[in-house]
Amino acid sequence: MTRKRQRMIFVLSGLGALGLATGLTLFALRDNLVFFYSPTQVVLREMPVENRNFRIGGLVEAGSLERVGADTIRFAVTDTANAVRVTYTGLVPNLFKEGQGVVAEGRLGTDGVFVASSILAKHDETYMPKEVMDALKAQGNWKGGD
Amino acid sequence: MAEFFAMDGYAFYIWPTYIVTLGFMIWLVVSTLRGLAADRKVLAELEKNAPHRARRRGETASSSPSLRGAETSDA
Amino acid sequence: MANLHWLANPGRFLRISNAVVPYLAGLTVVLLAYGLWRGLTAPHDATQGAPATIMYMHVPSAIMSMTVYGGMAVASAVALIWKHPLADIAAKSSALIGAGFTATCLISGSMWGRPTWGTYWAWDARLTSELVLFFVYLGYIAIWQAIEDPQRAGRAAAILALAGSVNLPIIHYSVEWWNTLHQPAGLLQGKTDPVLAVPLLTLLAAFFCFYVTVLLLRMEREIVGRKIRQLRLLQAQA
């Protein structure tokens, strides 16, 4: 009985120590574990030093998307508090549109415009058929993008 | 029907996913059942030829006394 | 621990298991058929269109990859602390099922990511921690393969399984703790419309029944395998 107790304490304390170590490591690395920075963080310059590639993520601001030339686009990424202007040349994912989530990778120019080299679309965790979405929109209860 | 399988042009992504996932499940069941059948056969064979004492201790597949491995067998 | 010791008798375990397996297998088939039928005929998601159909394979695979690991870790703890042979067998028999579900989760996620996000893979916290889970499963299986003596293999594997369990909360909370490309979980928060959630939950139940069915069969195979080993050792000594 005491052997079992001993082993149980051993296992539990081992798990506790390991959990604590992992937690501290993750906490120390928290800045490197984010996939992208928000526009607010970019405005406050809370991202890696300038002239280095990083990702910025948020929503494509409604009304900001414009086409310049054949396949160059300009738009703004917003987290509703702040927005950062982005320019990008290339193909965009099908889901990319105003009001949708986006993650752009590239670097920040000296003029404060983010020059993206790749664009990924982000989507949220709500799933519904088109009829339901249309009904929500008709009732004015729709909270997502277009 | 063709429209259903075309999946609005995304068939390339959707059907392989279903085939891989369901295929894994079918493979796992089949390989487990086959392995079990083969091992049961080997066990039955061994029990038939086993020394008298071992046979007495584990006559049927469902009533062997120990699973702990060699150290509990007092032979 | 009276209950566990009651089940420790492999004869009793096999009797119960053999009685239950046919019903569980039947239930799995019925749930799988119903879930697939409802899921594949449900209207497509309004935002993503057809690619969201992949969630009926992806979400159950993902949840099961973690559920199976959780079961394996608990069984490993019981095996380590109480030296319970059936717990040891249950943990070992879980590994391939869990590894498979982790693989199908990663593959289906990849096939879902390409048409929606625009990439097969990204090193975000959710995807990376799920990949780590896959490698932990592989390491666990490798230990059982590498160490001949089941007692020593079982102890080493159980310690790895317990150590690897710190990854479970990381996978689950990764989408809340850090910015990720992967969306947060919405299935149980009512963010999925019932038309899509009912087939999804049905398939989750089907995958769970599949897991229990195959686990029981694999445990029986392991028990038979250990008896074979024991008899061979006895014959070698005779």
Side-chain angles (χ1 to χ4, degrees), chain C residues 194-209:
Chain C
V195 178
L196 311 177
V198 166
L200 191 52
L201 290 169
T202 309
L203 283 166
L204 176 60
F207 277 41
F208 186 82
C209 289

Side-chain angles (χ1 to χ4, degrees), chain B residues 5 16-19 28 31-32 57 62-63 69 71 73:
Chain B
F5 283 109
T17 300
Y18 278 77
I19 291 166
L28 191 66
S31 76
T32 302
R57 289 179 69 223
S62 58
S63 63
E71 90 294 339
S73 62

Side-chain angles (χ1 to χ4, degrees), chain A residues 75-146:
Chain A
F75 59 94
V77 179
T78 177
D79 57 5
T80 66
N82 286 285
V84 170
R85 291 197 299 140
V86 179
T87 150
Y88 172 71
T89 304
L91 292 170
V92 293
N94 294 344
L95 274 189
F96 179 84
K97 58 184 168 199
E98 291 185 353
Q100 266 290 331
V102 68
V103 176
E105 184 172 2
R107 51 185 70 194
L108 196 62
T110 44
D111 55 354
V113 175
F114 189 85
V115 183
S117 52
S118 79
I119 296 265
L120 298 176
K122 200 172 145 49
H123 60 79
D124 64 14
E125 67 280 22
T126 51
Y127 303 98
M128 62 183 75
K130 197 170 177 311
E131 302 83 72
V132 176
M133 186 191 265
D134 290 344
L136 282 177
K137 281 180 178 167
Q139 294 160 12
N141 287 333
W142 176 241
K143 293 183 190 72
D146 291 317

Side-chain angles (χ1 to χ4, degrees), chain B residues 31-49:
Chain B
S31 76
T32 302
L33 286 175
R34 277 192 174 172
L36 181 58
D39 283 0
R40 271 179 178 159
K41 217 181 212 171
V42 172
L43 181 66
E45 202 65 28
L46 276 172
E47 280 179 340
K48 210 165 27 173
N49 306 328

Side-chain angles (χ1 to χ4, degrees), chain C residues 29-211:
Chain C
V29 171
V30 169
L31 287 170
L32 203 57
Y34 181 73
L36 282 171
W37 170 57
R38 288 293 301 273
L40 288 170
T41 54
H44 293 158
D45 173 59
T47 312
Q48 300 184 36
T53 309
I54 291 174
M55 76 178 167
Y56 299 119
M57 295 289 104
H58 178 72
V59 176
S61 293
I63 294 175
M64 289 315 297
S65 73
M66 295 173 67
T67 307
V68 175
Y69 196 95
M72 198 171 92
V74 169
S76 297
V78 173
L80 268 186
I81 298 168
W82 287 284
K83 303 277 179 199
H84 194 296
L86 265 184
D88 185 53
I89 287 167
K92 183 186 180 188
S93 307
S94 300
L96 190 61
I97 311 173
F101 278 135
T102 313
T104 60
C105 165
L106 290 166
I107 293 168
S108 59
S110 195
M111 299 304 265
W112 190 1
R114 186 68 187 88
T116 52
W117 300 336
T119 183
Y120 285 111
W121 183 260
W123 293 101
D124 87 340
R126 172 53 80 76
L127 277 62
T128 309
S129 55
E130 182 76 13
L131 185 63
V132 168
L133 179 70
F134 182 64
F135 287 125
V136 173
Y137 271 124
L138 291 190
Y140 181 90
I141 293 169
I143 286 182
W144 276 107
Q145 299 280 329
I147 304 176
E148 180 82 21
D149 174 38
Q151 280 229 308
R152 287 184 47 227
R155 193 158 54 210
I159 290 170
L160 175 73
L162 282 172
S165 66
V166 294
N167 193 25
L168 289 184
I170 298 178
I171 299 174
H172 182 76
Y173 289 109
S174 57
V175 287
E176 293 171 27
W177 287 344
W178 306 292
N179 291 335
T180 53
L181 184 60
H182 195 285
Q183 68 280 8
L187 180 58
L188 298 174
Q189 281 80 30
K191 291 190 170 181
T192 306
D193 190 86
V195 178
L196 311 177
V198 166
L200 191 52
L201 290 169
T202 309
L203 283 166
L204 176 60
F207 277 41
F208 186 82
C209 289
F210 170 88
Y211 153 61

